[in-house]
Amino acid sequence: MRSVTCSMSVSLDGCIAGPDGGFDRAAPDEEVFRFWTGEIREVGVHLMGRRLYETMLYWETADQDPSLDDASLERAALWKPLPKVVFSTTLSAVQGNARLASGSPAEEIGLLRAGPGAGDIAIGGATLAAEAAASGLIDGYRIVVHPVLVGGGVPFFPRHGRRVDPELVGTRTFSSRFVHLHYRVAHWPLRETRSLTPEQDHIPSQRRVLEARGAPGRCLQA
């Protein structure tokens, strides 16, 4: 099944925007830029909100800019043909290889997983990613941490009332002090909660069986 991955750049204090709504990011050097370009190769479709879509529109025609260097041309060549699904209540049309979402994030992700296609389902944009995370739809996070503290603002991880214990599966530190963190999220099946009876509670084998069928850190489930 195709994985849903959320990629985002954040400050060291975990924000995607500072108190004034902006984020005075340091420009990525060539090493970081090429790393971001390489991540596009693993994506089969990109889900995004309106703001991210409008920000990334530049890359739809970037290949027409004669001043672009080879690294930027490579990025444009990968981004332009990539299928995109845009979630917006204000846009009536989108450009390039993109379409407006016809359903909720859960519905669109379900259709993409059930249909043909290879590569990850990438999701970007703070509001859209928060909705997907609250529904337990995200399988992994790819975070690039910028070496700056913005002192508050819009947090990358929303407070949606769900605890998640992701597994760190990869890191990379760049010479420019940027750090990439790759986390995988385990999804435990939800079943009807059932407590051990007093008779079962003192039987080690029965406890082990029920624990094995439940999720670590959760109530015993059967």
Side-chain angles (χ1 to χ4, degrees):
M1 185 170 64
R2 301 172 77 178
S3 294
V4 178
T5 303
C6 178
S7 298
M8 194 75 76
S9 296
V10 304
S11 64
L12 185 57
D13 47 353
C15 295
I16 58 173
D20 61 354
F23 189 161
D24 189 15
R25 295 176 172 88
D29 61 10
E30 184 176 352
E31 182 186 21
V32 176
F33 188 83
R34 288 193 177 278
F35 177 81
W36 281 339
T37 298
E39 284 197 323
I40 299 176
R41 300 182 188 278
E42 302 178 24
V43 176
V45 59
H46 204 300
L47 279 57
M48 61 185 68
R50 176 187 58 81
R51 289 188 201 176
L52 181 59
Y53 163 74
E54 291 177 343
T55 298
M56 298 301 291
L57 269 178
Y58 165 78
W59 294 101
E60 297 294 336
T61 57
D63 55 355
Q64 301 173 21
D65 185 349
S67 66
L68 232 56
D69 58 21
D70 290 343
S72 296
L73 286 172
E74 180 185 11
R75 183 181 180 85
L78 291 170
W79 180 260
K80 189 173 182 178
L82 181 67
K84 306 164 191 77
V85 181
V86 182
F87 292 78
S88 173
T89 58
T90 57
L91 294 176
S92 58
V94 288
Q95 303 175 32
N97 191 18
R99 65 174 176 84
L100 287 168
S102 58
S104 67
E107 292 169 335
E108 290 287 352
I109 288 171
L111 290 172
L112 290 168
R113 280 175 163 167
D120 289 346
I121 301 170
I123 187 165
T127 302
L128 183 62
E131 184 176 347
S135 300
L137 297 172
I138 294 180
D139 302 304
Y141 291 94
R142 295 177 179 268
I143 306 167
V144 174
V145 182
H146 292 240
V148 61
L149 298 167
V150 297
V154 181
F156 172 54
F157 293 104
R159 294 188 176 97
H160 50 58
R162 296 179 65 254
R163 170 168 173 158
V164 178
D165 296 293
E167 175 190 2
L168 181 64
V169 295
T171 66
R172 178 172 173 177
T173 302
F174 299 93
S175 58
S176 54
R177 299 181 296 135
F178 286 66
V179 177
H180 176 259
L181 304 171
H182 182 194
Y183 286 94
R184 180 169 54 214
V185 177
H187 299 290
W188 301 100
L190 297 178
R191 303 181 179 91
E192 182 181 355
T193 300
R194 188 184 69 172
S195 300
L196 289 172
T197 67
E199 292 77 16
Q200 292 172 328
D201 188 58
H202 73 278
I203 304 175
S205 61
Q206 182 67 43
R207 177 174 287 280
R208 284 196 296 270
V209 168
L210 290 178
E211 285 178 346
R213 295 178 62 184
R218 295 175 181 260
C219 296
L220 296 179
Q221 299 171 334

